[in-house]
Amino acid sequence: MKNRERFNLQLVVASQMFSTFASVSGTFVIGWMVFELTGSKVAMGSLWLVSISAQMLIQFIIGPLIDKYKRTSVMKLTELVRILSYGAILLFQTTGQSSVAVLYIASFLSSLAVYDAAANALIPKWVHRRILVKINAKISGLVQFARFVSLPISGLLVGMYGTKITLEIIIVLFVFSLAALVRTQEKPPKVQRNQTWGKQFEMGLAIYKNQKILLILGVFVSITSFGVFATQAMYIPYVTEILGGTSAAYGFFAASFPLGYIAGTVIVGRVREPKALYPIMLTTLCFGGLTYIALGSTTMFWAACLIELAAGMAMPFWNVYSSTLYHRLVPEEIMGQVLSVRFLLTKAAAPLGIIYGTFCASAYGLPALFLSVGILICLVSGAGIIFLKVFTQPSLTREEKNVTTY
C-alpha cells in the first residue's frame, strides 16, 4: 500500500474503533435504562425490534445509493445522527423527562446507520487482494477489541457513576470517530450520479445471480441470525435472572465473546488460507449452535463466560472469510450496494427472531430459548455441510475466475 492509502486505512480503522466502542456502549446503556424502567422481557424484545427495523429500513432505502457518494461522507452523516440521538437522551435525562418512549425513539434514530457497509466497502480501495485475509483479520480483531473493552467498562461506569456520565462519554467518542473521518481522503466514486435507485439496487442483486455461493451463504446466515437476535435481545434478563449478575456482570459476560473473537482473528490471520472455505465457515456456525445449547444448560456465571469466549474464537472463521469472499468477488464500484444487500439478507430474519425470543422467554423460560436456538442453528448449518459435501466442492479460486465487471 502507498503511504497515503495506509494512512487513510488507519484513520478509518480508528474511526471504526471509536464508533464501535460508542455504539456498543450506547446500546448497552439504552437497554439497561429500558430494563430498569420496565423490568419487562417484552420491552427488551421490542427495543431490539425497533433497532433492527431501523437498520433494515435505512439499508433498503440508502444502501443502493451508497456507491454514488463518497463512503466517508455516508459514515460522517451516520455519526452526526448518532451524536444527536444520544445527545437527546442526555438532554431528556438531565431535565428529568426521560421515558421508555424517548429511549425507543433514540434507539430508532441511532440505528439509522449505514456506517458498517460503507466502511467495509472502503477496504478493497486501499488493500491488495493478496493480503485481504490478513488485513480483514486485523481490522476485525481491532474492532472486536473495541467491543471487548467497551462492554465491561460500560457496565462499570453505569454501576459506579450512572447513565448520565456514561452518555457523555459515548457522545465524545462519536465526535472522535467523526474527527478521524474528516481527515480521511477518498477519491470520488466511479458510479454515475444519474443512475436511479432501482438501477443501483438491480446491480447489487445481479452479483448474487452470478456468484451463487454468496446467495447460498447469505441464506444460511439469515436463518442463523434468527437465532442470534432471539437470544441477544434476552441477554440482560439472562444474566440477571439465570446467572444472578449485575450490570457489571453483564458487561463482563457480553465482553467474553469479543475477547474470544480477538484471539480467533489472530489465528485466522496466521494460518494458511484453506482451499475449501465453505465447509469451514459452516462448521463454525454449527459450533456456534452448540454454544447456545451449552448456555441454556448452565446457571454458572463463569461457565457462561467461557462458553461465550469459545464462541467468539470460532466466529472469525466465518466473518473474516466471508468478508474476503465479497472483497474478491465483487467489483469495487458496486461494493457498497452489494454489502447492503448482504446486510439485508443477514438481518431479514432478525425481527422474527426477536419476536420468537420474546415469546419463548416469557412463555417457556430463558433456558428453553437458548436450547431451541442452538438446536436450530446446528440443524441448519449441519444440513449445509452435508449439502456442500454431497453436491459440490467449490473453491475460492474457481469462484474468482467468474468475477463479473460492471
Side-chain angles (χ1 to χ4, degrees), residues 36-108:
E36 277 192 327
L37 288 172
T38 66
S40 168
K41 297 183 182 68
V42 174
M44 293 300 300
S46 300
L47 180 65
W48 276 88
L49 190 60
V50 166
S51 177
I52 293 299
S53 299
Q55 292 177 40
M56 295 181 66
L57 176 65
I58 196 65
Q59 288 287 345
F60 181 74
I61 296 175
I62 303 298
L65 305 177
I66 288 179
D67 297 316
K68 297 177 67 173
Y69 305 95
K70 288 184 177 181
R71 278 74 181 260
T72 49
S73 298
V74 175
M75 295 161 71
K76 291 174 190 175
L77 180 61
T78 294
E79 299 303 69
L80 283 173
V81 171
R82 286 168 166 173
I83 290 170
L84 293 175
S85 299
Y86 286 100
I89 297 176
L90 181 61
L91 176 63
F92 277 101
Q93 187 181 40
T94 302
T95 57
Q97 300 179 36
S98 182
S99 66
V100 174
V102 169
L103 295 172
Y104 275 34
I105 294 172
S107 177
F108 180 85

Side-chain angles (χ1 to χ4, degrees), residues 41-310:
K41 297 183 182 68
V42 174
M44 293 300 300
S46 300
L47 180 65
W48 276 88
L49 190 60
V50 166
S51 177
I52 293 299
S53 299
Q55 292 177 40
M56 295 181 66
L57 176 65
I58 196 65
Q59 288 287 345
F60 181 74
I61 296 175
I62 303 298
L65 305 177
I66 288 179
D67 297 316
K68 297 177 67 173
Y69 305 95
K70 288 184 177 181
R71 278 74 181 260
T72 49
S73 298
V74 175
M75 295 161 71
K76 291 174 190 175
L77 180 61
T78 294
E79 299 303 69
L80 283 173
V81 171
R82 286 168 166 173
I83 290 170
L84 293 175
S85 299
Y86 286 100
I89 297 176
L90 181 61
L91 176 63
F92 277 101
Q93 187 181 40
T94 302
T95 57
Q97 300 179 36
S98 182
S99 66
V100 174
V102 169
L103 295 172
Y104 275 34
I105 294 172
S107 177
F108 180 85
L109 293 176
S110 64
S111 299
L112 293 174
V114 286
Y115 182 99
D116 292 333
N120 205 1
L122 281 170
I123 295 174
K125 268 192 171 185
W126 301 322
V127 177
H128 194 279
R129 62 194 296 117
R130 286 198 302 266
I131 58 173
L132 274 173
V133 170
K134 183 177 180 181
I135 297 299
N136 277 325
K138 286 185 177 180
I139 293 174
S140 187
L142 288 171
V143 171
Q144 287 297 326
F145 175 77
R147 182 181 297 272
F148 161 66
V149 297
S150 68
L151 289 165
I153 289 176
S154 299
L156 290 172
L157 285 174
V158 170
M160 295 173 62
Y161 303 107
T163 54
K164 183 175 181 295
I165 291 179
T166 309
L167 286 169
E168 293 171 350
I169 294 173
I170 289 169
I171 294 171
V172 170
L173 290 173
F174 277 128
V175 171
F176 286 165
S177 173
L178 181 61
L181 292 173
V182 170
R183 296 194 62 191
T184 305
Q185 296 180 8
E186 181 189 359
K187 293 181 180 179
K190 300 178 182 179
V191 178
Q192 297 179 359
R193 290 288 183 91
N194 59 357
Q195 288 184 345
T196 64
W197 180 93
K199 179 63 176 178
Q200 292 290 109
F201 190 75
E202 182 182 344
M203 291 171 64
L205 289 175
I207 194 68
Y208 289 94
K209 297 179 181 178
N210 291 284
Q211 303 292 350
K212 295 294 194 301
I213 190 63
L214 298 182
L215 180 61
I216 293 172
L217 295 179
V219 171
F220 281 128
V221 78
S222 177
I223 296 172
T224 303
S225 71
F226 169 90
V228 171
F229 282 92
T231 53
Q232 280 190 343
M234 295 295 117
Y235 269 7
I236 290 178
Y238 174 75
V239 171
T240 56
E241 296 179 12
I242 303 300
L243 304 181
T246 61
S247 63
Y250 170 74
F252 282 108
F253 170 79
S256 299
F257 182 91
L259 176 60
Y261 195 101
I262 294 167
T265 57
V266 173
I267 298 172
V268 171
R270 292 187 177 183
V271 300
R272 178 178 295 180
E273 184 179 334
K275 293 182 179 180
L277 292 181
Y278 315 131
I280 292 176
M281 293 167 67
L282 291 174
T283 300
T284 296
L285 293 184
C286 187
F287 180 80
L290 293 175
T291 61
Y292 281 114
I293 293 175
L295 286 175
S297 304
T298 186
T299 58
M300 299 174 60
F301 173 72
W302 290 112
C305 289
L306 289 175
I307 293 167
E308 281 291 276
L309 185 73

Side-chain angles (χ1 to χ4, degrees), residues 129 207 210-211 325-332 396-406:
R129 62 194 296 117
I207 194 68
N210 291 284
Q211 303 292 350
L325 279 171
Y326 275 84
H327 291 158
R328 287 178 176 170
L329 299 177
V330 180
E332 188 275 328
L396 181 58
T397 302
R398 184 161 70 241
E399 294 290 343
E400 284 184 338
K401 294 178 182 179
N402 298 322
V403 175
T404 303
T405 56
Y406 292 80

Side-chain angles (χ1 to χ4, degrees), residues 374-400:
I375 292 171
L376 172 66
I377 294 175
C378 286
L379 289 176
V380 171
S381 54
I385 295 170
I386 295 172
F387 175 83
L388 288 177
K389 186 174 182 179
V390 174
F391 294 100
T392 182
Q393 292 183 352
S395 67
L396 181 58
T397 302
R398 184 161 70 241
E399 294 290 343
E400 284 184 338

